[in-house]
Amino acid sequence: MPMTENSYRKSLRTRMRVLFSPARSALFAGALLVAVIGNILYIRDDGAPEWLGALSVSPIFAFLFWELATDMRRRRDDREREEREP
């Protein structure tokens, strides 16, 4: 099967469709909401619970690591598929 233009590594459109699917976009919006609320509480209380500052950004970091892992896996799958093709 020849390499199509819809391969993950060769098509920006396919890559954006995967990385910004509706479920991932909703999770990113939720992560931003948690970060904003956590930072508002942290700033309002003059940094009283010190752990709240770090906790508020952890959903964003988790989302970014998930995106990175997905991107690496999809690229590896495309590379392996290319190697198997004649």
Side-chain angles (χ1 to χ4, degrees):
M1 169 180 357
M3 178 59 66
T4 64
E5 288 302 317
N6 288 335
S7 77
Y8 186 81
R9 292 189 320 154
K10 301 205 187 265
S11 172
L12 180 63
R13 184 176 185 185
T14 300
R15 193 175 312 137
M16 292 299 114
R17 191 178 72 238
V18 168
L19 294 178
F20 294 104
S21 68
R24 287 177 188 265
S25 296
L27 288 174
F28 181 66
L32 284 178
L33 185 64
V34 168
V36 168
I37 291 171
N39 281 307
I40 288 172
L41 294 174
Y42 181 72
I43 292 169
R44 185 190 68 185
D45 294 336
D46 293 325
E50 294 177 3
W51 54 267
L52 187 57
L55 183 67
S56 67
V57 295
S58 61
I60 292 176
F61 285 140
F63 179 80
L64 291 175
F65 286 128
W66 181 35
E67 290 286 305
L68 181 62
T70 300
D71 185 61
M72 290 172 54
R73 181 178 45 86
R74 296 291 298 249
R75 287 176 183 270
R76 184 186 65 231
D77 291 348
D78 269 5
R79 192 170 39 251
E80 289 173 357
R81 191 173 320 129
E82 282 179 0
E83 290 171 357
R84 284 192 308 255
E85 292 177 358

